[in-house]
Amino acid sequence: MYDILTEQLKHYTVLWRETSALYEEWAKKRGLSYYELLVVLSIMEPDGPCL
């Protein structure tokens, strides 16, 4: 059981890093830092933008 969880965690970490790299690259092409993009995404809500 421990081995399965360890492998799943490793796989999740790889996917998380790859996804973060994609977001960072996307933001950079648009003149934003990765952290600025995260702030913008956190402000946006499913119900509409935060005013």
Side-chain angles (χ1 to χ4, degrees):
M1 180 72 165
Y2 177 76
D3 292 337
I4 292 171
L5 292 176
T6 301
E7 287 303 312
Q8 287 177 339
L9 183 57
K10 286 179 184 179
H11 185 68
Y12 170 82
T13 302
V14 168
L15 292 174
W16 180 78
R17 288 179 180 171
E18 289 174 355
T19 302
S20 294
L22 289 171
Y23 274 105
E24 187 172 8
E25 183 180 332
W26 186 91
K28 186 177 181 180
K29 287 180 180 180
R30 286 152 181 83
L32 296 170
S33 73
Y34 176 69
Y35 298 106
E36 288 170 324
L37 177 61
L38 291 180
V39 168
V40 170
L41 292 174
S42 69
I43 290 172
M44 298 301 294
E45 295 289 327
D47 297 331
C50 177
L51 302 176

